[in-house]
């Protein structure tokens, strides 16, 4: 059964809900989520929202911290807008009734996290800021918003000449296909953390939005930059969930099994060094055969300050009373994604992207802690303003593009999720080499990369579509990592150990038509954006 709307949003995280809130009340808006509305990375986010609301802080300082953490691989103007508009967005959120954690005198309780030079992290419910923020927006969701759960958006419906996105196809667990049509299709489906064996992400984060856009012909940028969170709870060879960076901000220290502090001699900020540095040191310590722990014995009233972490440890039989939490790094955030302009427009007319699915240029080579929820608030609002300003689109149907071949379930069933995770970690994990990357790319090409991007997916079930999308994202990340012959931010090459001047400002842009390496001071102008 087909459905028509004014705006269709794929995804249900903070960016999606913020967008829905600010769209004009006359629009019929449909939010599509392949699981449940509360099963998003935003909902489980333990960190807070970075914003300049303290008079002792400054926008300039927030911008500088963001640029340093991301190794100056940003659209600098966009970073400035993120910091300045973000402060206003957070104040607007508080004014709408959002309850933030406060000190005894009523002033906001501002936390400190890695690579920040000032206390500017706003929390709600201690380490449950994501859940509290999403619940706040859900409680106030306008009546013009319809939420449809349990349907996976898996393919963009394109005009016959493939220049315009007209809608999306979805599939439920029973295999039923539906088509949703709208002049504005927004991808806000999150990142691709599930392609790695250890991740802080929901297991459903298989890079759907990025793969959909790539197959539709959109440009994909900076996929080599995958942030690994330093501290995931690590039990019996598996990660069990995130240990918020705010724990280190409150005084937690990383130690090896002998009690020796890992970060003291590595970086001036010690345990609050940028995430790529901290994750690397933990990885190296573990590679040398030593277990790593987060020492929380100096943090008073830990259970009160970090109820989510406490509950996670209790569920996994890790006694908080001993003060040592076993940790290991895992994939956390994708700085790359679908190329967008300042408003969230992609290079395909009618198709937009916001949140972690998008490459907005604000995170550079390594995202600054707590800038992700801020990005969702800012770009959700900004895209709403853009769509609200557009002339009402004609809703007539056009003749659409169709794939000549449909991929068969039996071929997709041969793909292994677990094998891909292991191979991706070896090739494009925390440490990368030319040999491992080239080998993994050849493996993916032999498995059928061209078929994954040139065949329809109507005959596949949801599990097999996810596996195809995981393989596509693994390819995009690995190829970009192979091409970038330097180490910068979260991208670490043992065969190219330093930041190279000739790679400064250059971006690797991938489409189904080929690869472009862009550079210079005017990258934004060189990206063809359809308004």
């Amino acid at each position: 059964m087909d459905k028509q709307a004014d705006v269709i949003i794929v995804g249900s995280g903070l960016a999606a809900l913020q967008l829905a809130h600010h769209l004009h009340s006359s629009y019929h808006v449909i939010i599509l989520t392949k699981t449940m509305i509360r099963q998003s990375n935003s909902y489980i986010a333990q960190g807070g929202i970075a914003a300049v609301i303290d008079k002792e802080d400054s926008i300039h300082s927030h911008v500088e911290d963001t640029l340093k953490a991301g190794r100056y691989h940003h659209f600098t103007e966009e970073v400035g807008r993120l910091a300045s508009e973000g402060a206003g967005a957070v104040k607007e959120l508080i004014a709408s009734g959002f309850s933030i954690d406060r000190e005894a005198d009523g002033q906001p309780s501002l936390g400190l996290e890695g690579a920040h030079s000032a206390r500017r992290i706003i929390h709600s419910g201690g380490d449950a800021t994501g859940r509290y923020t999403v619940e706040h927006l859900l409680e106030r969701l306008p009546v013009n918003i319809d939420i449809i759960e349990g349907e996976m958006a898996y393919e963009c419906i394109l005009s016959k000449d493939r220049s315009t996105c007209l809608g999306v196809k979805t599939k439920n667990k029973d295999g039923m296909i539906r088509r949703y049509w709208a002049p504005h299709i927004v991808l806000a489906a999150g990142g691709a953390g599930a392609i790695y064996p250890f991740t802080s992400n929901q297991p459903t984060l298989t890079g759907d939005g990025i793969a959909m856009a790539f197959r539709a012909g959109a440009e994909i940028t900076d996929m080599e930059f995958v942030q690994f969170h330093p501290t995931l709870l690590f039990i019996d060879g598996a990660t069990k969930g995130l240990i918020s960076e705010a724990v280190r901000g409150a005084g937690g220290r990383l130690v090896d099994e002998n009690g020796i502090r890992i970060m003291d001699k590595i970086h001036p900020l010690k345990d609050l060094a940028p995430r790529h540095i901290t994750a690397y040191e933990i990885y190296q310590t573990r590679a040398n055969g030593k277990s790593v722990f987060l020492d929380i014995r100096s943090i008073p009233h830990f259970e009160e300050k970090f109820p989510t972490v406490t509950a996670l440890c209790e569920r996994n039989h890790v006694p908080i009373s001993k003060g040592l939490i076993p940790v290991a790094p895992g994939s956390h955030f994708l700085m790359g994604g679908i190329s967008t302009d300042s408003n969230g427009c992609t290079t395909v007319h009618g198709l937009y992207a916001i949140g972690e699915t998008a490459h907005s240029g604000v995170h550079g080579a390594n995202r600054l802690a707590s800038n992700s929820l801020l990005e969702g608030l800012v770009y959700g609002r900004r895209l709403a303003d853009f769509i609200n300003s557009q002339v009402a689109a004609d809703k007539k149907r056009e003749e659409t593009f169709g794939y000549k071949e449909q991929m068969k379930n039996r071929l997709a069933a041969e793909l292994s999720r677990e094998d891909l995770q292991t191979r991706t970690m070896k090739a494009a994990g925390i440490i990368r080499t030319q040999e491992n990357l080239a080998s993994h790319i050849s493996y993916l090409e032999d498995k059928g990369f061209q078929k994954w991007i040139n065949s329809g997916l109507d005959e596949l079930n949801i599990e097999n579509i996810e596996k195809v999308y995981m393989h596509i994202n693994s390819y995009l990340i690995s190829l970009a990592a192979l091409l970038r012959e330097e180490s910068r931010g979260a991208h670490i090459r043992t065969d190219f150990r330093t930041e190279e001047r000739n790679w400064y400002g250059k971006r690797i842009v991938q489409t189904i038509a080929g690869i472009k390496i862009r550079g210079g001071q005017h990258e934004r102008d060189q990206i063809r954006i359809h308004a």
Side-chain angles (χ1 to χ4, degrees), residues 421-435:
Q421 291 170 331
T422 300
R423 289 175 178 273
T424 304
M425 187 65 190
K426 179 181 179 181
I430 297 174
I431 307 298
R432 290 98 180 263
T433 68
Q434 188 274 339
E435 180 181 4

Side-chain angles (χ1 to χ4, degrees), residues 34 152 191-197 199 202-212 215 223 415-422 424 440 444 449 452 457 462-478:
K34 69 176 176 180
M152 177 186 184
I195 71 172
Y196 291 93
T199 181
Q202 295 278 15
T204 55
L205 269 290
T206 49
D208 304 345
I210 295 167
M212 285 175 63
R215 282 166 42 88
M223 289 293 284
L415 301 175
S416 167
R417 178 186 291 247
E418 293 74 20
D419 184 52
L420 177 78
Q421 291 170 331
T422 300
T424 304
H440 184 54
L444 293 171
F449 178 73
W452 304 334
L457 306 178
I462 287 178
E463 179 184 359
N464 284 335
I465 294 173
E466 284 188 332
K467 287 194 293 184
V468 168
Y469 280 177
M470 290 171 71
H471 281 71
I472 289 174
N473 279 282
S474 182
Y475 184 92
L476 295 174
I477 290 169
S478 299

Side-chain angles (χ1 to χ4, degrees), residues 155-169 179-181 185 212-218 346-351 397-403 453 512:
E155 203 166 272
C156 293
I157 302 172
L158 301 173
S159 59
K160 190 174 183 180
D161 64 0
R162 302 195 68 169
S163 67
T164 303
C165 183
L166 307 173
V168 292
K169 293 180 183 178
R179 291 169 175 81
Y180 293 84
W181 305 82
I185 307 297
M212 285 175 63
F214 179 71
R215 282 166 42 88
T346 75
T347 52
V348 175
H349 183 64
L351 185 66
R397 302 283 171 85
E398 300 180 24
E399 189 175 354
T400 60
F401 163 80
Y403 287 96
I453 64 174
I512 54 174

Side-chain angles (χ1 to χ4, degrees), residues 241-425:
L242 182 69
I243 306 297
S244 171
E245 191 159 321
V247 174
R248 280 175 285 136
R253 296 292 178 262
L254 292 163
V255 299
D256 66 16
E257 59 192 36
N258 299 315
I260 298 174
R261 291 187 175 183
I262 293 173
M263 297 300 300
D264 278 11
K265 296 180 180 180
I266 300 300
H267 193 275
L269 293 176
K270 299 181 180 179
D271 295 87
L272 291 176
R275 286 176 174 172
H276 66 287
I277 295 173
T278 312
Y280 177 78
E281 293 303 325
I282 296 174
Y283 176 86
Q284 291 290 76
T285 302
R286 288 181 46 76
N288 290 330
K290 295 180 181 179
S291 298
V292 177
F293 299 87
L294 190 55
D295 185 343
I296 60 171
R297 288 174 289 189
S298 66
I299 304 176
H301 311 295
F302 183 89
E303 294 90 337
E304 297 176 16
K305 293 179 179 178
F306 301 101
T308 304
V309 172
T310 299
L312 175 66
C313 289
E314 288 176 347
R315 286 197 304 273
N316 289 279
H317 311 293
V318 175
I320 291 294
S321 59
K322 290 190 176 180
L324 293 172
I325 301 175
V327 295
S331 69
H332 185 56
F333 191 88
L334 179 63
M335 277 72 72
I338 307 165
S339 306
T340 64
D341 69 0
S342 295
N343 295 311
C345 302
T346 75
T347 52
V348 175
H349 183 64
L351 185 66
Y352 311 84
I354 51 175
E356 192 175 352
T357 300
H359 174 265
S360 60
V362 298
H363 299 307
N366 191 39
R367 176 178 64 85
L368 180 67
S370 289
N371 267 359
S372 54
L373 293 181
L374 185 71
E375 180 191 20
L377 291 175
V378 169
Y379 281 84
R381 173 69 184 263
R382 198 185 294 171
L383 178 55
D385 290 343
F386 176 81
I387 292 176
N388 290 340
S389 70
Q390 301 302 293
V391 176
D394 189 349
K395 297 180 181 179
K396 69 179 182 181
R397 302 283 171 85
E398 300 180 24
E399 189 175 354
T400 60
F401 163 80
Y403 287 96
K404 293 181 179 179
E405 296 183 11
Q406 293 291 327
M407 190 172 180
K408 304 302 180 183
N409 250 322
R410 59 179 176 78
L411 294 177
E414 296 174 357
L415 301 175
S416 167
R417 178 186 291 247
E418 293 74 20
D419 184 52
L420 177 78
Q421 291 170 331
T422 300
R423 289 175 178 273
T424 304
M425 187 65 190

